Amino acid sequence: MAMGRIEARFASLGARGQSAFIPFLMAGDPDLRATADLALLAGRMGADALEIGVPFSDPMADGPVLQRSADRALKKGVSLSSVLDLVKEVRRGVEIPIVLFGYCNPIHRYGHARLVRDAKEAGVDALLCVDLPPEEAGELKGAADSEDLDLVFLLAPTTSEARVRFIAKAARGFLYLVSITGVTGARMRVGAELKRMVKRIKNLTDLPLAVGFGIDSPKQAASVARVADAVICGSAVMRLVEACSEDRGAMRARVGKLLSSMAASVHGARGKGGG
C-alpha cells in the first residue's frame, strides 16, 4: 500500500533530521475566504501539515482565543459541510497533509460513514475528534479504516503507559500530546518534564508524536521540536487573525511572518543544540 501524505511527510522530514510544523486555522474566522487564503499561505510559508478546525458551540478543550474564534465562525453560519467545501478548495492549492480537527457532536450529527467519505473526497488526510476516546470510536474508526483515512488521538501528561499503548493501537498517522493539563492558549513551559513525557511515550509506540497547546513563539517551538516529531501552533495564529480581522493585508503579513519564523525555527531546531 502506498504511503499516505502524513506518513510520507514524517518519513521525509525524519530522513532530514527535522520535525514538522503544523499550524491550526479555525475555519470561517473571520470568514471562509480568509481561511482559504491563510491555508494556502501556510503551505507557502513552510508548514508541513495543516489543522483546520470545525467550529463548535462548546469547545471544551479550547481556551479564550479559540473559543472566540469558533463563536465568530458559527455566527457566520459555518458548518461541517461548508468546512469540507473549504478543504476541497484548499486541496487544489496545497499538497501538504490536512487534518480535520473537531468535536464529536457535529461529526455524530453529520454521520460517521458520510463524514469519512466526504472528507476523503475533499482531500482530508486525518480526523482528530477531540472529545472522542478510543473506547467509543469504533464506528468512526471502522469508517476511517475503510477509506484509508488516518485517525489521530490525544494523549495528556497524565496518560498512563498502559493507556498510551491502548491509544496508540487505535491511532493512525500520529499521536497528539497535549503538553499541559489545561486548555489551548495556556502558557506552556518547555523543560525536563516535557522531555521526560516525550521520551516515555516514544518508548511505547513507533507513531510520530506531535506536541501542542500553549506554543506561542518561534523560540518555544524550536525547543519542542528538539524532542518531538511535530509542533502544533493554534492560538498564536488565531490571536493574530482576531487582531487583524478588519485589515486583511495586515492579517496576511502578520500571520505569514509568524508562520515563516515558526517553520524555520522548527526545521532548524535539531541542528542547534538538540536532537
Side-chain angles (χ1 to χ4, degrees):
M1 184 180 295
M3 278 189 187
R5 289 191 190 95
I6 291 176
E7 185 182 3
R9 178 65 59 151
F10 276 112
S12 175
L13 288 166
R16 300 198 298 270
Q18 294 179 328
S19 296
F21 171 55
I22 307 177
F24 168 95
L25 296 171
M26 182 68 74
D29 182 27
D31 55 49
L32 289 169
R33 178 71 265 157
T35 307
D37 290 343
L38 293 177
L40 297 174
L41 180 65
R44 293 195 293 273
M45 293 296 103
D48 297 293
L50 181 65
E51 279 190 355
I52 295 183
V54 179
F56 180 51
S57 57
D58 187 21
M60 64 185 73
D62 294 318
V65 171
L66 297 189
Q67 287 178 21
R68 294 193 299 268
S69 182
D71 185 60
R72 288 190 293 268
L74 289 172
K75 287 177 178 176
K76 294 287 182 68
V78 175
S79 65
L80 183 48
S81 293
S82 59
V83 175
L84 291 173
D85 289 339
L86 166 73
V87 172
K88 190 177 296 185
E89 178 184 353
V90 170
R91 175 52 71 205
R92 289 194 287 265
V94 299
E95 290 296 323
I96 60 175
I98 295 175
V99 180
L100 197 67
F101 178 108
Y103 289 82
C104 188
N105 185 276
I107 293 174
H108 179 73
R109 292 193 63 187
Y110 194 94
H112 293 174
R114 177 186 171 212
L115 170 66
V116 168
R117 183 180 63 249
D118 291 352
K120 184 74 173 183
E121 182 181 348
V124 171
D125 299 285
L127 301 174
L128 198 172
C129 186
V130 183
D131 54 346
L132 184 66
E135 292 91 342
E136 300 175 15
E139 185 178 353
L140 184 61
K141 177 171 171 53
D145 287 346
S146 70
E147 293 287 347
D148 199 26
L149 200 68
D150 290 343
L151 194 57
V152 178
F153 287 103
L154 299 178
L155 301 173
T158 53
T159 304
S160 68
E161 290 191 1
R163 185 153 180 79
V164 170
R165 291 190 180 95
F166 176 76
I167 293 172
K169 287 180 180 179
R172 281 182 47 175
F174 63 93
L175 290 166
Y176 189 144
L177 173 61
V178 176
S179 62
I180 51 176
T181 52
V183 295
T184 59
R187 180 71 179 177
M188 186 189 76
R189 294 181 179 178
V190 181
E193 185 178 356
L194 177 64
K195 293 177 182 178
R196 284 194 297 270
M197 279 194 292
V198 170
K199 183 178 180 180
R200 177 172 65 90
I201 293 166
K202 289 179 72 65
N203 284 336
L204 300 171
T205 176
D206 292 329
L207 283 173
L209 184 63
V211 173
F213 282 45
I215 298 169
D216 63 4
S217 71
K219 181 178 180 181
Q220 196 176 40
S223 296
V224 175
R226 292 187 187 109
V227 297
D229 300 302
V231 178
I232 298 174
C233 176
S235 292
V237 176
M238 297 311 299
R239 190 177 294 115
L240 291 181
V241 171
E242 181 176 51
C244 303
S245 61
E246 300 302 320
D247 186 339
R248 301 303 170 90
M251 181 189 298
R252 283 180 55 84
R254 294 185 66 186
V255 171
K257 182 178 179 181
L258 176 65
L259 295 175
S260 178
S261 60
M262 284 279 200
S265 294
V266 169
H267 293 153
R270 295 189 183 182
K272 297 178 180 179

